[in-house]
């Protein structure tokens, strides 16, 4: 079993839809949770990060962490064609340097 | 966040040859990281490079195959040696942010081995 599981998609939605992207994980030591966006032929770009459980909102994006279920989500409201990209979840532990573990990424296409 | 550049952006190489990838950061950083991203797979950490010491390699990666240099606090190179088609991948360098150990990535080097 992989430490981090993420549905690879592809996920196609119409413009304006609410998108839900999810990851599950097995390592209870993970404390920091991140979402990256990667456009084709580009490096991953940090989108959001959260610490422990709870929600964090930034514009149209909301990151949610449920540590009891080992489940994290990224919601995109009013999705735009420019949101079409691959979204990777990532997580790491706390206390000094900890290796970051990535999901495989979900490819999202927002159709105009 | 740091600005990271990589050279080359892409290359097509013959089996058995070697390629050196350069990574330049616009600020001094203690740790630099090299990742591999293969289609359909998650980002895999190859090694961590600290200035002034030997790189630390992850399980499955060895120095003879992926030698790394870290001559100063803003620059690192990764060499992919004796390449085979299985080495075709995107290679990314990154630096670490604080306080969450979040990774900031360069644009990547897309390598195709024939």
């Amino acid at each position: 079993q992989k430490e981090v599981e993420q549905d690879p998609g592809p996920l196609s939605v119409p413009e304006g839809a609410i998108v839900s992207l999810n990851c599950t994980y097995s390592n209870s030591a993970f404390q920091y949770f991140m979402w990256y966006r990667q456009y084709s032929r580009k490096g991953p770009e940090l989108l959001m990060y959260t610490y422990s459980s709870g929600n964090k909102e930034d514009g149209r994006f909301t990151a949610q962490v449920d540590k009891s279920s080992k489940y994290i989500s990224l919601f995109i409201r009013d999705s735009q064609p420019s949101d079409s990209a691959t979204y990777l979840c990532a997580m790491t532990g706390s206390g000094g340097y900890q290796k970051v573990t990535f999901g495989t990424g979900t490819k999202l296409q927002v159709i105009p | 966040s740091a600005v990271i550049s990589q050279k080359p952006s892409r290359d097509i190489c013959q089996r058995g040859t070697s390629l050196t990838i350069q990574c330049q950061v616009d600020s001094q950083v203690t740790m630099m990281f090299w990742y591999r991203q293969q289609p359909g797979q998650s980002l895999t950490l190859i090694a961590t490079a600290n200035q002034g010491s030997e790189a630390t390699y992850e399980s499955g990666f060895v120095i003879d195959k992926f030698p790394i240099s870290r001559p100063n606090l803003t620059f690192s190179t990764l060499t992919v040696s004796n390449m085979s088609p299985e080495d075709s991948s995107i290679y990314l360098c990154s630096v670490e942010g604080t306080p969450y150990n979040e990774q900031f990535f360069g644009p990547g080097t897309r390598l195709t081995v024939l």
Side-chain angles (χ1 to χ4, degrees):
Chain A
Q1 182 189 5
K2 292 181 181 178
E3 272 193 300
V4 179
E5 299 276 1
Q6 185 175 10
D7 187 334
L11 179 62
S12 291
V13 301
E15 182 176 354
I18 296 174
V19 176
S20 172
L21 304 166
N22 311 294
C23 289
T24 59
Y25 63 95
S26 58
N27 188 343
S28 58
F30 289 145
Q31 295 285 339
Y32 299 120
F33 303 90
M34 292 154 277
W35 285 95
Y36 287 83
R37 178 175 61 195
Q38 185 173 22
Y39 291 114
S40 180
R41 303 183 185 280
K42 302 285 187 183
E45 166 196 13
L46 181 65
L47 202 55
M48 294 189 72
Y49 57 81
T50 55
Y51 173 68
S52 196
S53 285
N55 293 357
K56 183 175 182 179
E57 188 173 321
D58 184 1
R60 297 185 294 111
F61 298 89
T62 299
Q64 195 171 76
V65 175
D66 182 350
K67 290 190 68 181
S68 63
S69 301
K70 296 189 176 66
Y71 189 86
I72 70 170
S73 300
L74 177 71
F75 298 96
I76 307 174
R77 291 184 299 281
D78 188 25
S79 56
Q80 303 295 309
S82 59
D83 295 326
S84 298
T86 297
Y87 291 80
L88 300 98
C89 63
M91 45 202 80
T92 185
S94 62
Y97 167 68
Q98 300 279 335
K99 191 172 90 170
V100 179
T101 302
F102 290 85
T104 53
T106 299
K107 188 171 184 178
L108 171 68
Q109 184 179 17
V110 181
I111 302 168
Chain B
S1 63
V3 176
I4 304 168
S5 60
Q6 283 185 237
K7 290 181 182 178
S9 59
R10 55 175 28 195
D11 208 341
I12 300 173
C13 301
Q14 295 297 319
R15 179 196 297 263
T17 62
S18 298
L19 176 72
T20 295
I21 302 168
Q22 298 178 8
C23 180
Q24 179 76 52
V25 188
D26 70 342
S27 58
Q28 294 184 339
V29 294
T30 303
M31 299 171 78
M32 295 179 73
F33 306 86
W34 287 98
Y35 285 83
R36 184 172 71 183
Q37 186 177 31
Q38 294 180 311
Q41 298 187 25
S42 59
L43 284 159
T44 303
L45 181 64
I46 297 171
T48 303
N50 285 344
Q51 194 269 336
S53 62
E54 292 281 334
T56 302
Y57 289 83
E58 296 297 307
S59 175
F61 298 96
V62 295
I63 187 171
D64 289 346
K65 176 67 176 176
F66 296 101
I68 287 171
S69 78
R70 183 77 203 275
N72 58 52
L73 291 172
T74 62
F75 187 79
S76 178
T77 67
L78 169 76
T79 299
V80 186
S81 303
N82 188 24
M83 289 184 286
S84 67
E86 292 71 35
D87 295 318
S88 297
S89 186
I90 299 172
Y91 292 86
L92 294 146
C93 72
S94 73
V95 301
E96 184 181 51
T98 56
Y100 300 109
N101 300 327
E102 66 271 29
Q103 300 284 294
F104 295 99
F105 289 91
T109 296
R110 183 178 295 268
L111 171 62
T112 302
V113 183
L114 303 177

